[in-house]
Structures are given as C-alpha cells and as structure tokens.
C-alpha cells in the first residue's frame, strides 16, 4: 500500500507532491526522471512496506528488459501464481516486481484480466511513448488525474495534483448537483474543476507524443449462471471465500481485523482462525447506551471465537473535534457518518498492526440494503399506478419518513435507471432546485445508465442490475474511498476479502433467490456462516456502523452545526440557499421529518468548502 504520483510535460520537481503523500508510504520514497519523445516524464512513489520489506521492492521500478517503468499502489493477491508463467530472474519477492514483469512479457491488455487484487498504478512504455493509468475492478484504490495545456499529472490523492491544476480552487457546479443527488461524486467527476477520478475497472492511456488520452473499460460483466442446489452453492461459496481470505492474509507485517457487531467481519475472523491465523480484533463505539454502539456485540463475537479484542470509545466532543481532520484526509465531502468512527478505529488498530481485514463489500453482491427490498416488492407487486397514487398521497400528507418517501418514489418509477437514482437520492429534484436554483442531477442518471449499458448483454433481473451497479459506483467512490483515505492517513493497509475478484465473480453467477428474497438478505452467505458462528451472531439485527447524528445534532452538536451551516462568511452559501437550508434544519430539529442524511452531507460539504 503506497502513494503514487507523476507528471508529463513539466520539469517542475515532484518533491512537494511526494511529501504530501508521505502518510501513504512512510517507509521510503523514490522518483524517476525520464525524457520520452522530447517530453519530460516524472514518476514518484511513497512506500508502505507490506510484502518483501527489502530494497528489492523499491519503486518506481524498471522492468528487466528496460522498456517499462511502474509506480504502483495496492496488493496483487495471486502474484505468486502469476510468477509461475514468467521466466525472468527476479530480484525479490514483491508483487510489484511480478506485476512489472507480467506487463513487460504480456502487455497491459493481457495482464489486467489475470490480476486478483486491489490496485491503482501507472505503467510507462518508454518504447511506444505511452503512459497507462489503471484502477482495480471495484475501485478499492483511488487514482486522480488532471490535464492542462502544459501537461498531464496523476496522483493517489487530490493533494498530489494541486500544483499541477490551475482550477483546483474552482468548484464544478455540475459535480455539486451530482453530490446533492447521490451524497458522493461518482467517477470520473470530482468537485474540483479539471480534476478527474479514474473509474473502477478502467484504464487511461496517454500518448506522450500527441498529449491525447483514451479511457477504456477493461472489465467484463459476469454472464454465466451457477447450476446446482442451494446446498451446492453454499459449499462452493465456502471454498471460494476460504481461498479469498487465505490470499488476503499474506503479509510480511502484522495483520488484524476491524470487527463490527455484524456477520461479515465476524465470518472473516472465524474463517481466518480456521486457516490458522488468530487475528486481533479492533472495534470502535460510543458507549453511554447508544443503540448504534457495537462494542458489546463485537466483544461477544471475539469471545465466541477466542480472539484478542481491543476497543475504543469515542465521545461526541472527540468526534466533533476530529471532523475537520477527517474531511481534510478524505479530501472530498461524503454524506456517510461512518467516516467519523472509522478515524478513531484505524488509528487504534495502527498501534498494533500494519494491515487489517475489513468486512466491507458484502452488502452489494449479496443484496444487504433496504433499497433492494423495495425492488423485490416492485417485482412481486408491479402496480405502477397504485404506487404513483401512494406517492402523491404521501406528498399531500407531508412529514412522511424520508426512507418511506424515497421508497415510494422508487416503486412508482418505471425506468430502471431512474429508479436506481431515486433509491439512492439524497435530495429530490424539487429539493435540489430549492437549494441551488437548479434541478439538474449533475449527470447522475447518465453515469447510472453507463453502467447499466455495460450489463446490456446479461440476463439479469432489475434487482441484480442494481446490485452490480452499486458494486461499481457508490461502493467505489463513497464507502471504499473513505476507507482508503482514512486508513492510509494512519499508514494502515485495509483489505476487503469480500471483494476478492474471483469471489465476487462467483457470487454474481448465483441465482437471485440464493441471495435475496422478500424480507431476506444474504441467504447463502448466512447459511454458510452458520458453520462458523453461533446462530445469534449470524442473525443479529444490522446496525450499519452509524453515528447517532440525529440526537447529537439536536443536542450537544446543535449550536456547532448552526455556526458552520449559517455563518455569514460561509462559502457554501454563495451557491446554496440559506433559506432552504434553514427550512431543512428546522424540520430536523422538530424531527418532522428527520433530515439527518441531508444535513450531515451539507455539514461535510460546508467544512470541505471552507478548507479549499
């Protein structure tokens, strides 16, 4: 796990950018300066040593045949198997060298489908004068780039591009509408004008001679179907998940697990122990009887498995005081409250380990979210007119709980892309207009349809399409984005076995009714988990790693939030309506309806905007 940075066409040093990325790779750094077809190319790298701690893993790395250079961030879990294809005499044991020599021997196009891992890298072909940027299929690792008349630049983080992009301080108004629609900004857009995030499963090729770029999607959707009974599927899933966990336990430094009170991290911990590795468990909570606190449940799981357990309690004051640092580290506003406890969790884990496994990434392929249940209801009761009438009635009555209002809008919408948008919407079209004077979704529907078109040749039901799309959109650019940024702020590598590429490829072949049914989720996943965990742990009510934002925002945080949202000098109020924001705030204070999702997103946006 590392930081990568580079420039093409500029002779300015990248030392400032490397210093910015030092938290991602505190063990060492390196840079390489090259002249390619008359253009100056700089490649940089900061290293967090995980596999092969020796100097043989240093980057940027040159291929044995001298043609290629690589700067790479991530882990290739199947790199030992891939090495067997190569006849190169290797200098060390790093996955970086395996990737480098595989590209040298087989080229980018033939290499990418073979990789099982999380990665973002830049590979420079000195002979053809082409620079390739690549992001892994689920976007576990972020990669940003910018292009201007003087050159091209890329970086693991936005801060590594600030000196290259003249428009860094200019907000992209379309991206603002996108954020207000989805609570995050999906790739390739960001809130900064001129800065882009490479989409998951995509590669960008820069022709150094001409300066032209081409972006291609290299991943292909799974089209096959599993044939067998549900017991057969459970057995096959057991084999696949065990192999994924074994792959992701490989490390030359200590490994732990981020343990919640839920099934996913508990199952990983249990299966890791079955593989002979007892992982120390780390949990964060709020104490004080807060229903969102998972410390007791996580402790019960750790005791049941006989694993060492470490917990940290955070107070409202601690979380509030850390919020500016959290926003600064994530670099982009995100409307999910779990960014706050994650900050303390990773810092506590880093005291003991350098790598952690996390349970993230299970809800999308296994259908763990409520919005999938709404789609199942629509499948069983496809009465469009009835749902439309129910939506109008709810609007007339007013004060409908936000989750019900959103669900009704989803059920009453015919087009799948529009249903997905409504199911995820932070603000409705009307609310966006009231906030900004613009009802645009910022191209959200266009991006959704881009991924739906990718699935056009698949025989997937609408619920499956929604699940697959979520695995490549909001998972990548919301949940995994903050997971990467916050963990790397503490120089901690976070791995997500549930998103092992071979594993998800298998899950997506399963019939939908092996995964989800009305009022049932993660069916085969839970059935298999019962082999390892007590029934009470497998079937616990899902808490979702949340913060009690509602009561705290009406109590201990009330004055602090008002000061940020309604400060006369607040830059966000140049584009967002103070009056409409005030209406949302007053509704929230009354709890009619609860506006926690919207107000937390606006709070994050306001803090981020002030930091620019």
């Amino acid at each position: 796990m590392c930081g990568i940075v580079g420039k093409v066409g500029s002779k300015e040093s990248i030392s400032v950018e490397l210093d910015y990325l030092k938290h991602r790779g505190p063990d060492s750094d390196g840079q390489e300066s090259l002249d390619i077809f008359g253009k100056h190319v700089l490649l940089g790298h900061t290293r967090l040593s995980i596999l092969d701690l020796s100097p043989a893993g240093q980057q940027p790395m040159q291929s044995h045949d001298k043609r290629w250079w690589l700067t790479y961030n991530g882990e290739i879990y199947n790199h030992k198997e891939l090495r067997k294809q190569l006849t190169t005499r290797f200098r060390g044991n790093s996955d970086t060298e395996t990737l480098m020599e595989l590209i040298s021997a087989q080229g980018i196009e033939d290499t990418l489908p073979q990789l099982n891992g999380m990665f973002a890298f830049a590979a420079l072909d000195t002979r053809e004068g082409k620079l390739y940027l690549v992001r892994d299929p689920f976007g576990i690792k972020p990669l940003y780039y910018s292009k201007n008349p003087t050159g091209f630049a890329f970086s693991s983080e936005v801060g590594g591009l600030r000196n290259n992009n003249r428009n860094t301080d200019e907000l992209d108004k379309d991206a603002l509408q996108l954020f207000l629609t989805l609570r995050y900004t999906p790739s390739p857009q960001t809130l900064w004008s001129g800065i882009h995030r490479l989409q998951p499963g995509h590669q960008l090729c820069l022709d150094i001679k001409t300066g032209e770029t081409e972006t291609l999607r290299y991943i292909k959707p799974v089209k096959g179907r599993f044939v067998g009974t549900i017991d057969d599927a459970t057995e096959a899933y057991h084999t696949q998940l065990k192999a994924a966990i074994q792959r992701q336990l490989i490390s030359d430094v200590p490994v732990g697990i981020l343990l919640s009170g839920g099934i996913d991290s508990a199952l990983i911990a249990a299966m890791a122990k079955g593989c002979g590795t007892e992982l120390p468990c780390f949990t964060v909570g709020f104490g004080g009887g807060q229903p969102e606190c998972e410390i007791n449940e996580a402790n019960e799981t750790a005791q049941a498995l006989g694993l060492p357990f470490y917990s940290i309690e955070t107070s409202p004051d601690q979380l509030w005081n850390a919020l500016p640092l959290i926003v600064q580290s994530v670099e982009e506003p995100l409307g999910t409250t779990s960014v706050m406890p994650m900050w303390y969790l990773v810092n506590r884990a880093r005291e003991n380990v350098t790598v952690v496994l996390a349970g993230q990434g299970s809800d999308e392929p296994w259908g763990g979210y409520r919005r999938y249940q709404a789609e199942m209801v629509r499948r069983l009761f496809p009465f469009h007119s009835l749902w439309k009438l129910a939506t109008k009635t709810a609007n007339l009555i007013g004060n409908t709980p936000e989750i019900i209002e959103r669900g009704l809008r989803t059920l009453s919408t015919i087009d799948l892309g529009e249903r997905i948008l409504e199911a995820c919407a932070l603000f409705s079209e009307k609310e966006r207009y009231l906030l900004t004077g613009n009802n645009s979704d910022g191209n959200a529907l266009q991006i959704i349809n881009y991924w739906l078109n990718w699935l056009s040749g698949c025989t997937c039901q609408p619920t499956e399409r929604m699940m697959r799309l979520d695995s490549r959109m909001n998972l990548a650019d919301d949940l995994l984005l903050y997971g990467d940024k916050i963990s790397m702020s503490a120089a901690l590598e976070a791995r997500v076995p549930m998103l092992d590429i071979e594993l998800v490829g298998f899950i997506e072949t399963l019939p939908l009714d092996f995964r989800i049914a009305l009022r049932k989720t993660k069916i085969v996943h839970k059935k298999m988990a019962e082999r390892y965990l007590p029934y009470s742990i497998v079937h616990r009510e899902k808490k979702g790693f949340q913060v009690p934002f509602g009561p705290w925002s009406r109590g201990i945080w009330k004055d602090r939030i008002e000061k940020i949202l309604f400060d006369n000098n607040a830059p966000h109020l140049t584009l967002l309506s103070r009056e409409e924001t005030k209406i949302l705030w007053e509704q929230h204070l009354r709890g009619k309806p609860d506006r926690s999702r919207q107000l937390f997103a606006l709070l994050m946006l306001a803090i981020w905007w002030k930091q620019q």
Side-chain angles (χ1 to χ4, degrees):
M1 197 72 74
C2 309
I4 65 172
V5 66
K7 291 182 180 180
V8 177
S10 171
K11 293 187 177 181
E12 295 180 4
S13 167
I14 55 173
S15 297
V16 173
E17 289 86 347
L18 286 171
D19 285 343
Y20 180 85
L21 296 176
K22 196 69 177 177
H23 57 276
R24 297 187 71 92
D27 295 332
S28 64
D29 61 70
Q31 56 181 297
E32 191 67 31
S33 176
L34 304 120
D35 186 78
I36 308 294
F37 291 100
K39 298 286 183 68
H40 196 60
V41 179
L42 288 163
L43 302 176
H45 186 266
T46 61
R47 185 184 186 195
L48 177 64
S49 301
I50 303 294
L51 296 176
D52 190 351
L53 310 185
S54 76
Q58 290 289 101
Q59 299 183 50
M61 184 178 289
Q62 188 178 27
S63 63
H64 188 265
D65 64 5
K66 309 297 183 185
R67 175 178 172 179
W68 292 85
W69 282 92
L70 178 72
T71 181
Y72 150 72
N73 167 34
E75 302 288 351
I76 306 298
Y77 300 121
N78 62 334
H79 87 96
K80 290 184 178 180
E81 289 75 17
L82 294 174
R83 275 199 177 200
K84 295 174 183 177
Q85 303 178 24
L86 304 170
T87 58
T88 307
R89 179 178 291 180
F90 288 94
R91 292 162 286 188
N93 300 307
S94 71
D95 57 334
T96 306
E97 192 176 5
T98 305
L99 176 60
M100 178 78 277
E101 297 303 336
L102 197 65
I103 292 172
S104 177
Q106 302 181 11
I108 289 282
E109 285 72 19
D110 289 338
T111 293
L112 294 180
Q114 301 181 64
L115 303 179
N116 187 349
M118 54 179 185
F119 48 84
F121 65 81
L124 174 65
D125 183 346
T126 62
R127 189 174 74 189
E128 296 295 326
K130 293 184 177 180
L131 177 73
Y132 297 89
L133 303 185
V134 179
R135 192 176 178 199
D136 68 69
F138 296 108
I140 302 169
K141 298 287 99 189
L143 185 55
Y144 299 88
Y145 62 94
S146 67
K147 184 180 180 182
N148 61 41
T150 63
F152 179 89
F154 66 88
S155 177
S156 294
E157 296 188 3
V158 176
L161 299 176
R162 300 299 287 259
N163 291 335
N164 185 74
N165 187 55
R166 297 174 183 174
N167 300 321
T168 301
D169 296 328
E170 293 185 17
L171 184 135
D172 185 321
K173 292 182 181 179
D174 285 336
L176 175 61
Q177 295 296 128
L178 191 52
F179 173 79
L180 295 174
T181 302
L182 296 177
R183 84 172 188 182
Y184 69 100
T185 311
S187 303
Q189 290 182 253
T190 72
L191 280 167
W192 294 274
S193 179
I195 291 181
H196 305 281
R197 195 187 316 106
L198 189 62
Q199 290 169 282
H202 283 65
Q203 69 172 42
L204 179 149
C205 177
L206 169 71
D207 188 318
I208 293 173
K209 289 175 284 188
T210 65
E212 295 179 357
T213 60
E214 182 182 22
T215 302
L216 299 172
R217 183 171 50 204
Y218 68 84
I219 54 172
K220 297 179 180 179
V222 173
K223 294 184 178 180
R225 278 297 179 193
F226 179 84
V227 178
T229 67
I230 194 168
D231 289 333
D232 296 332
T234 304
E235 186 60 41
Y237 176 55
H238 175 260
T239 301
Q240 291 277 351
L241 182 56
K242 183 178 179 181
I245 291 170
Q246 286 177 318
R247 280 191 287 267
Q248 299 200 23
L249 284 171
I250 297 173
S251 173
D252 293 330
V253 294
V255 181
I257 186 162
L258 304 182
L259 186 69
S260 71
I263 177 181
D264 302 325
S265 57
L267 181 56
I268 293 170
M271 295 186 74
K273 183 176 181 181
C275 295
T277 304
E278 296 193 354
L279 299 174
C281 305
F282 302 93
T283 301
V284 64
F286 319 109
Q290 295 289 347
E292 293 86 351
C293 182
E294 296 187 73
I295 289 178
N296 290 338
E297 290 90 340
N299 187 26
E300 179 187 340
T301 298
Q303 287 185 0
L305 297 175
L307 297 174
F309 180 75
Y310 306 92
S311 65
I312 180 171
E313 283 191 13
T314 62
S315 68
D317 282 342
Q318 287 175 314
L319 289 169
W320 182 267
N321 292 337
L323 195 51
L325 280 176
I326 294 169
V327 175
Q328 184 178 341
S329 294
V330 177
E331 297 192 299
E332 303 182 58
L334 298 172
T336 174
T337 62
S338 51
V339 298
M340 302 175 77
M342 177 64 84
W343 176 266
Y344 284 94
L345 178 58
V346 300
N347 279 279
R348 173 61 190 88
R350 188 63 176 89
E351 295 176 15
N352 294 70
V353 299
T354 310
V355 175
V356 289
L357 306 187
Q360 209 167 40
S362 170
D363 286 313
E364 290 78 8
W366 282 112
Y369 291 131
R370 288 178 179 174
R371 57 179 172 268
Y372 307 139
Q373 289 292 311
E375 193 63 30
M376 296 298 290
V377 169
R378 193 179 189 280
R379 177 188 174 193
L380 292 171
F381 306 101
F383 308 125
H384 171 68
S385 299
L386 175 64
W387 295 123
K388 202 159 190 174
L389 177 62
T391 303
K392 288 182 179 179
T393 303
N395 290 337
L396 288 172
I397 294 173
N399 292 331
T400 305
E402 192 254 348
I403 190 170
I404 295 177
E405 178 188 336
R406 193 154 36 102
L408 288 172
R409 289 204 311 267
T410 302
L411 289 165
S412 63
T413 302
I414 296 175
D415 180 75
L416 178 59
E418 293 177 2
R419 285 208 304 278
I420 291 172
L421 190 150
E422 292 293 354
C424 299
L426 179 69
F427 290 102
S428 68
E429 182 179 351
K430 178 183 178 181
E431 289 168 338
R432 293 194 300 273
Y433 180 78
L434 292 172
L435 269 173
T436 67
N438 183 353
N439 65 359
S440 165
D441 64 13
N443 297 322
L445 184 58
Q446 180 180 333
I447 297 171
I448 288 169
N449 284 329
Y450 172 80
W451 285 106
L452 287 177
N453 290 338
W454 175 62
L455 296 169
S456 59
C458 299
T459 55
C460 295
Q461 296 183 38
T463 311
E464 290 180 274
R465 293 177 186 272
M466 183 183 289
M467 290 156 63
R468 290 197 188 191
L469 183 140
D470 283 347
S471 297
R472 279 87 183 173
M473 269 188 66
N474 73 295
L475 180 60
D477 294 325
D478 182 4
L479 306 180
L480 292 173
L481 186 71
Y482 86 71
D484 171 85
K485 297 284 188 70
I486 292 182
S487 61
M488 290 310 296
S489 72
L492 181 75
E493 173 170 303
R495 300 176 179 177
V496 279
M498 295 295 179
L499 289 177
D500 179 272
I501 294 169
E502 289 184 26
L503 175 67
V504 177
F506 164 75
I507 295 169
E508 290 184 339
T509 69
L510 295 177
L512 182 62
D513 58 4
F514 283 15
R515 290 181 274 166
I516 181 173
L518 195 61
R519 301 184 67 182
K520 292 182 179 180
T521 65
K522 302 182 176 183
I523 295 170
V524 164
H525 181 62
K526 291 179 179 178
K527 182 177 175 67
M528 195 278 286
E530 290 176 355
R531 300 182 181 189
Y532 286 89
L533 298 165
Y535 184 91
S536 59
I537 293 176
V538 172
H539 298 280
R540 273 184 188 141
E541 184 178 350
K542 182 183 179 69
K543 289 193 173 182
F545 197 41
Q546 297 296 313
V547 167
F549 180 81
W552 287 356
S553 59
R554 297 182 187 100
I556 192 169
W557 287 353
K558 177 178 177 293
D559 293 342
R560 305 176 199 184
I561 292 175
E562 286 180 341
K563 185 176 180 180
I564 290 174
L565 288 182
F566 305 111
D567 180 5
N568 289 330
N569 297 317
H572 67 277
L573 292 178
T574 60
L575 291 179
L576 299 182
S577 164
R578 177 191 293 272
E579 291 73 22
E580 183 60 24
T581 305
K582 192 75 173 177
I583 290 170
L584 290 169
W585 179 239
E586 289 172 352
Q587 288 176 340
H588 180 69
L589 292 179
R590 295 193 302 269
K592 297 181 179 181
D594 184 277
R595 293 289 189 177
S596 291
R597 291 177 72 246
Q598 291 79 7
L599 286 164
F600 182 76
L602 291 179
L603 176 65
M604 293 287 282
L605 180 66
I607 295 172
W608 171 85
W609 213 326
K610 193 172 183 180
Q611 290 179 350
Q612 303 312 299

